[in-house]
Amino acid sequence: MDWNLLLLGFGKVMLNPVNLLFVFIGVTAGIIVGALPGLTATMGVALLIPFTFGLDPVQGLVMLIGLFTGGIYGACISSILIGIPGTPAGAATLLDGYAMNKKGQAGKAMGMAVIASWFGGTIGALIMTFASPQIAKVALEFGPPEFFSLAFFGLGIIITVSGRSILKGLISGIFGLMLPLIGFDPISGAPRLTFGSMELLGGITLIPVLIGLFGYSQVFQGIEKILVLPAIKTELKNLIPKLSEIKTVLSTMVKSSLFGVFIGAVPGTGTDIAAFVSYGEAKRSSKHPEKFGTGILEGVAAPESGNNACAGGAMVPMLTLGVPGDAVTAVLMGALTIHNFQPGPMLFKDHPEVVYPIFAAMILAQFVMLFVGLGGARFFARLINIDRRILTPIIFLLCVVGSYAMRFSFFDVGISLVIGIIAYFMNYYGYPGSPVLLAIILGPMVEQNLRRSLVISHGDPTIFFTRPISAAFIFIGIFIIITSYYRVKKAMDREAPSSSAQEKAESN
Amino acid sequence: MVKKIGLLAIVVMVSIGLSGTYGAAQQFPSKDITLVVPWAAGGGTDTIARTLVKNAKKHFGVNVNVVNRTGGLGAVGMGSVTTAAPDGYTVGVITFHLSNYRMMGLAPLSYRDYSLIQLINREGAAASVAANSKFQTLKDLIEFAKANPGVVTAGHAGAGSVQHLSLASLGLREKVKIVHVPFDGSAPARTAVVGGHVTVAVTTISEVLQLYRGKMVKVLYHEDTKRHWLYPDVPTIAEAGFPNAKIIYDWRALGAPKGVPADRLKVLIDGFKKCFDDPEFQKMAYDLGLATVYLDSKSLETFLAEMEELHRPALESVGLLKETK
C-alpha cells in the first residue's frame, strides 16, 4: 500500500470535477439499470464500454466502477417496491424488504437499504484498497474441493430462506438443483437434456429464471387480485432510520460486510451468494429468527451490506490475479484490457496510475450512491402508489423486455414465462422461490467441483476432509444446517398459534 | 380526406422504398453494421472484436457495433449469423468451437455455412506449472508422468477445448497417462495451477501472459513453429523435445451469412482488412501477445478444412467424436 499513490489517485479523481461527474453518471445509471428487472450491472457495464473509448481511460473506468456500485444497490429498489428483484443480488432483500413494504414501511426499508449498502460498500472498498495482496492469497487457496465445500455451505442457507415449511423449501431447492443440469457439460463434453436444441445447449440462465420466479409469478398474482387489492399507504416521512435503529443492526452490518468481502474475493462467487449468505447467517444467529421474513430492518440490512461489500472483494482477484471474482468484474476486466491495462500480478507495478484511481473511485462511489440513493428513495417510493391496474401491465412488459435483453433471445422470454407459471403454482401451494434461485446459482458450482475434485483424487472422497479449508466449510455447513433447522423450527413452533392469522392477512 | 391520406401514404411509401433501393445500390454501407460476438462481454473474443472495430468509422464510414449473443457454447451466436439477412449488415465472429460442433454432435454448424471474410488471429496452446514446481522442463514432466502414471493432473478450459485437444494429443504421442481436470474456462484453470491444485495448466499462450510476467508460473512449452515475442525464454514444442507437425490452433475469424452480394462482401473484406491493419489494433494485439495472422477468404477456408481434419483424431482419442453424417 503506497499512501502517496493512493492520495494521488484520490487527487486525480476528486480534483477534476469532470471525473466526479462521471462517477455520478455511473452510479445513477447503475441504480436505474439495477432497479429494472432483468437489466443487470453486468449488462450496463458492457453497454457502456464503447462509450469509454473516446474518454481518458481513468474517466471511463471510474464511470464503470460507479455503475457497478449503483447497479448492486439498485436491485433492492424493485425488490422492496414491487417484490421483484432487479438483479439476483437483490433477491435476498426481497424477503424482508417487500414484507416491510406490505406493512407500509417501504420508505424506511429503502432508507435502511441505502445506508446498509453504503456501509457494506465502504467496508468492501476499504478492504480492497488496503489488503488486496493478502486477500489474493486467500483466493489462491481455493481449489476444486474448497469450491465444492463452500457451495455446500451455501446450500445450507436454503433452510433459513425456506419460509414456513422447511420441507417445502428443500423440495424447491431440489427443483432448483435440477435446472442447471440442462445444457453442455464442460467436464464430460456431453450435451445434457437438450433434446437436440441449440438454445438449450447453453443451459438455462439465471436472469430468465429470476424473472420467472419473482416477476411473472408476481404479475399473475397481481392480476388475480387486481380489483380487490387495497392500496398500500406508504410512509414516506421516516426515510432515514433512527440512530437507535441503526445501532441495533450495526453488528449485523459489520458481520455481513465481512462475509460479503470474503465471498467476493473467492473467484466465481458473486453478490447474489453474498446477499443470501449474509441473510441466512443473520437469521440463524438472531435472537428472534421467527421475525425474519415478516419485515424487519435486519432482514434488509444484512443482504444489502453483504452484497455491496462483495463488490470490493470481487475486484481483488480480478486486479491482482486476472481472475474475475464475479460476472461484473469479468466485464470490467475486459474494459481494462481494451484500454490496454491487462489485469494480473503486473498491473500494480506497471500501471499504478490506473489502479489507485480505481480504489479512490470505488470509495467515492459509495458516498455518491448514499446521496443519490437517499435523494432518489423518496421519488422511487412514490411509484408504489401508482394504481395497480396500471402498474401490473407495466411490470409485465418490463419482465418480457428484461428476459429478452440478457441474450437478445426470445427463447429466454419463453423460458421465463414457463418458470413464471410454475412459480405461480409453487407460490399458491406455499413453495418458496428463493431456494430455487439459490440452488440454480450454486448447483453448477457444487456439481462441477465435486466431479473435478474426485477426478483429482482418483475417486477418493476423503479429499474434502483432508484439506483444512474444505473440511472447515463442510463442518461449518453441517453445523449451520443443524442449528438453523432447530432454531428456525423452534421459533416457528413458538409462532404457530399466531402464524395462521398472519397468513390470512398476507393472502388478502 | 381518407383518400387523400391514403394517396399520400402510398406516395411516401414508394418514395421511401425507391430511395432505400437507390441508396443501397449506390452506397454500402449506409447504416451501422452489426458484429455478432458469440461469447460474453469482457471475455477474450469480445475484447478482440471490440478493439478490432474501435476505429471502424474511419474505415467503413459507419460504426460497427458489437452485439454479444451468447449461449449454446457459442453455437447460438454463430448460428444466428448464418440465418441473418444476407444484406451485409450482419457479420459474425467465428471461433475455434465451430470446428467441433458437428463432430461433437452439438449443433449442425460448420465454416461451410458462412461467406468467410478473414482470419483475425491464431495461437497454439502452452503448458504452465507453478513457479515453485519441481518440473523445470517438459521433459521432466513427461518422464515423471511415464514413471508415475495417473499422478500428474492437468487443468484445461473444458472438454473439447483447444487446450484439451492439445494435451490429449501430446499424451497420445508420448503414451503417458495424465489426469485431465476440465475447468469451465481458462481463468479458473490457470488460478488452480498457481494455487497448486493441479500440476500443470494448459491454456493458450496469451492467456498466461500476466502470470508469466509476474513470475507466478513457468511456461514449459508453446505449441507453435517459432518462439513468441513476449516469451523469449519459452521453447516451442519442438525445442522442448516433442515435435508435433500437426498443431491444433485456437483461432478467431470473421464470417458473413451465405448469399451476401459480391460487391458488398468485397466492401466488408476490404473494410475489415483496414480495421485489422489499423496500428491501434495491431499494437494492442502485440501487447496482449495475440498473434494476428491475416488469411483471406480462400486461405481461411483451406485452414479451417485442415483444422477439422486435425480435430477428428484428437476428439476420437478423448471419446468426444460423435459425428453425424
Side-chain angles (χ1 to χ4, degrees):
Chain A
M1 183 67 246
D2 192 326
W3 284 98
N4 275 336
L5 284 170
L6 184 66
L7 279 178
L8 276 176
F10 265 104
K12 196 164 183 179
V13 179
M14 283 178 81
L15 292 180
N16 185 348
V18 179
N19 288 347
L20 267 181
L21 179 72
F22 275 104
V23 176
F24 175 79
I25 294 173
V27 170
T28 313
I31 293 178
I32 294 169
V33 169
L36 288 171
L39 305 186
T40 60
T42 317
M43 206 186 300
V45 174
L47 283 176
L48 270 190
I49 287 178
F51 293 101
T52 66
F53 283 163
L55 302 174
D56 170 54
V58 169
Q59 271 172 7
L61 287 170
V62 298
M63 177 164 73
L64 298 181
I65 299 269
L67 202 143
F68 183 18
T69 308
I72 296 164
Y73 157 68
C76 78
I77 296 176
S78 39
S79 285
I80 293 170
L81 293 184
I82 52 176
I84 303 169
T87 73
T93 314
L94 179 140
L95 298 165
D96 273 272
Y98 193 46
M100 282 184 79
N101 176 5
K102 281 185 183 162
K103 292 200 292 190
Q105 301 175 341
K108 201 194 219 175
M110 302 260 295
M112 187 70 247
V114 181
I115 289 173
S117 295
W118 165 78
F119 185 88
T122 309
I123 289 198
L126 289 174
I127 292 182
M128 160 183 125
T129 307
F130 293 105
S132 270
Q134 291 78 359
I135 294 180
K137 277 193 196 109
V138 177
L140 282 178
E141 292 297 319
F142 273 71
E146 284 77 20
F147 279 117
F148 166 77
S149 306
L150 177 66
F152 169 80
F153 158 84
L155 282 177
I157 306 291
I158 287 181
I159 306 257
T160 44
V161 296
S162 283
R164 302 200 169 275
S165 160
I166 292 175
L167 180 67
K168 285 181 178 174
L170 287 177
I171 293 174
S172 291
I174 288 171
F175 171 63
L177 280 177
M178 290 192 316
L179 286 177
L181 292 180
I182 299 170
F184 179 79
D185 169 31
I187 300 203
S188 68
R192 297 192 298 198
L193 306 169
T194 60
F195 306 101
S197 151
M198 206 141 79
E199 304 273 2
L200 277 179
L201 196 58
I204 291 183
T205 44
L206 193 54
I207 298 293
V209 175
L210 177 86
I211 289 176
L213 274 181
F214 298 101
Y216 284 125
S217 73
Q218 189 76 7
V219 167
F220 296 151
Q221 282 170 46
I223 294 169
E224 202 178 50
K225 314 170 202 161
I226 204 157
L227 291 175
V228 292
L229 204 70
I232 305 164
K233 279 239 175 73
T234 306
E235 183 64 59
L236 286 173
K237 276 183 202 140
N238 302 320
L239 217 53
I240 301 174
K242 292 189 207 84
L243 206 59
S244 59
E245 287 172 322
I246 295 180
K247 254 186 206 155
T248 58
V249 298
L250 192 65
S251 63
T252 307
M253 289 201 294
V254 172
K255 203 163 59 171
S256 304
S257 304
L258 296 178
F259 269 119
V261 175
F262 170 74
I263 288 172
V266 174
T269 50
T271 49
D272 36 20
I273 300 178
F276 273 114
V277 168
S278 302
Y279 182 87
E281 179 50 27
K283 179 171 176 182
R284 192 197 64 85
S285 61
S286 161
K287 287 194 196 80
H288 43 77
E290 73 279 5
K291 286 196 185 147
F292 276 78
T294 62
I296 57 169
L297 283 176
E298 274 167 282
V300 173
E304 279 307 307
S305 44
N307 63 18
N308 283 276
C310 178
M315 294 287 285
V316 174
M318 188 271 275
L319 290 174
T320 55
L321 300 169
V323 196
D326 68 351
V328 194
T329 43
V331 183
L332 278 175
M333 189 167 140
L336 278 164
T337 311
I338 286 179
H339 285 290
N340 223 341
F341 307 111
Q342 206 185 3
M346 299 307 283
L347 186 69
F348 282 68
K349 256 180 234 146
D350 291 354
H351 297 291
E353 82 279 10
V354 175
V355 174
Y356 289 93
I358 288 180
F359 287 158
M362 197 83 187
I363 296 171
L364 274 177
Q366 310 303 328
F367 288 86
V368 176
M369 176 185 75
L370 182 67
F371 290 114
V372 178
L374 283 178
R378 197 174 295 272
F379 167 75
F380 283 125
R382 227 162 261 176
L383 292 178
I384 26 171
N385 293 336
I386 297 175
D387 191 328
R388 292 262 150 190
R389 282 166 291 182
I390 297 168
L391 195 60
T392 307
I394 293 177
I395 296 173
F396 181 81
L397 196 70
L398 284 176
C399 289
V400 177
V401 174
S403 51
Y404 174 77
M406 188 72 198
R407 302 197 290 187
F408 305 106
S409 158
F410 280 110
F411 181 77
D412 283 351
V413 176
I415 290 279
S416 67
L417 262 173
V418 171
I419 300 276
I421 292 166
I422 297 173
Y424 171 75
F425 285 104
M426 280 173 53
N427 211 308
Y428 197 80
Y429 292 105
Y431 291 89
S434 306
V436 181
L437 190 68
L438 195 59
I440 290 180
I441 299 168
L442 292 171
M445 193 170 152
V446 166
E447 192 218 331
Q448 291 185 11
N449 286 299
L450 175 69
R451 291 165 66 195
R452 222 168 264 147
S453 307
L454 292 176
V455 165
I456 293 177
S457 73
H458 299 277
D460 179 4
T462 54
I463 188 171
F464 299 111
F465 303 100
T466 51
R467 296 171 56 129
I469 298 179
S470 166
F473 273 112
I474 293 215
F475 289 122
I476 295 171
I478 292 172
F479 171 77
I480 282 186
I481 290 170
I482 294 173
T483 54
S484 20
Y485 178 77
Y486 281 106
R487 297 198 60 169
V488 173
K489 201 165 155 36
K490 211 164 125 195
M492 275 196 293
D493 289 346
R494 222 186 312 146
E495 265 276 275
S498 63
S499 74
S500 54
Q502 204 164 8
E503 235 162 67
K504 237 175 223 160
E506 262 176 32
S507 65
N508 275 330
Chain B
M1 187 66 195
V2 175
K3 246 187 187 167
K4 253 190 194 165
I5 293 178
L7 198 68
L8 195 69
I10 289 169
V11 170
V12 168
M13 275 192 309
V14 168
S15 54
I16 288 176
L18 281 180
S19 67
T21 32
Y22 266 128
Q26 271 165 7
Q27 203 201 356
F28 170 83
S30 57
K31 60 173 183 183
D32 285 0
I33 295 170
T34 300
L35 180 63
V36 178
V37 171
W39 301 98
T45 304
D46 178 69
T47 306
I48 292 168
R50 283 177 197 271
T51 321
L52 179 72
V53 299
K54 205 170 163 182
N55 297 330
K57 183 125 198 168
K58 207 160 75 192
H59 307 303
F60 277 107
V62 297
N63 283 316
V64 176
N65 301 321
V66 169
V67 172
N68 302 85
R69 285 215 59 193
T70 60
L73 207 70
V76 171
M78 286 189 228
S80 78
V81 175
T82 62
T83 54
D87 56 6
Y89 287 105
T90 307
V91 177
V93 177
I94 52 179
T95 60
F96 167 85
H97 303 76
L98 187 61
S99 308
N100 272 343
Y101 292 140
R102 273 185 350 150
M103 281 188 262
M104 285 173 72
L106 298 176
L109 273 180
S110 79
Y111 68 89
R112 296 167 194 84
D113 301 315
Y114 299 84
S115 299
L116 297 172
I117 295 176
Q118 69 159 94
L119 185 72
I120 303 171
N121 83 301
R122 72 170 185 208
E123 58 177 340
S128 312
V129 293
N132 58 1
S133 162
K134 60 178 176 179
F135 303 112
Q136 296 297 329
T137 64
L138 183 59
K139 268 218 163 75
D140 293 352
L141 183 76
I142 296 287
E143 268 159 27
F144 179 82
K146 271 184 182 159
N148 307 277
V151 174
V152 172
T153 50
H156 59 71
S161 62
V162 65
Q163 297 88 342
H164 182 198
L165 298 184
S166 163
L167 181 71
S169 113
L170 180 67
L172 205 64
R173 294 197 308 274
E174 298 304 318
K175 299 191 179 54
V176 288
K177 200 169 166 286
I178 291 173
V179 180
H180 288 211
V181 187
F183 284 83
D184 201 359
S186 274
R190 66 183 179 219
T191 322
V193 81
V194 177
H197 308 292
V198 290
T199 325
V200 51
V202 185
T203 61
T204 61
I205 184 89
S206 63
E207 283 166 342
V208 282
L209 179 62
Q210 288 292 315
L211 294 179
Y212 165 78
R213 291 189 54 221
K215 298 200 169 36
M216 293 172 90
V217 295
K218 275 182 290 194
V219 185
L220 299 182
Y221 72 84
H222 168 212
E223 190 154 25
D224 211 333
T225 46
K226 55 176 192 285
R227 288 198 180 201
H228 191 288
W229 63 95
L230 293 178
Y231 305 75
D233 60 343
V234 173
T236 66
I237 187 132
E239 288 169 343
F242 301 87
N244 175 22
K246 294 174 177 168
I247 296 171
I248 296 180
Y249 285 105
D250 185 31
W251 53 266
R252 298 181 179 95
L254 293 170
K258 274 246 183 266
V260 175
D263 53 331
R264 293 192 178 192
L265 194 61
K266 188 167 179 324
V267 174
L268 290 176
I269 288 174
D270 294 345
F272 278 111
K273 177 77 169 61
K274 281 182 204 148
C275 290
F276 175 84
D277 288 332
D278 193 290
E280 204 175 331
F281 173 69
Q282 288 295 336
K283 174 170 187 324
M284 139 115 181
Y286 182 90
D287 291 344
L288 289 178
L290 282 168
T292 54
V293 177
Y294 180 84
L295 290 180
D296 65 7
S297 168
K298 241 244 108 62
S299 356
L300 175 60
E301 196 176 331
T302 322
F303 169 70
L304 294 183
E306 273 170 26
M307 281 296 121
E308 276 195 2
E309 287 318 302
L310 293 184
H311 280 218
R312 191 168 284 115
L315 282 171
E316 193 170 16
S317 75
V318 289
L320 287 174
L321 188 67
K322 294 186 190 80
E323 200 160 7
T324 42
K325 289 284 172 228

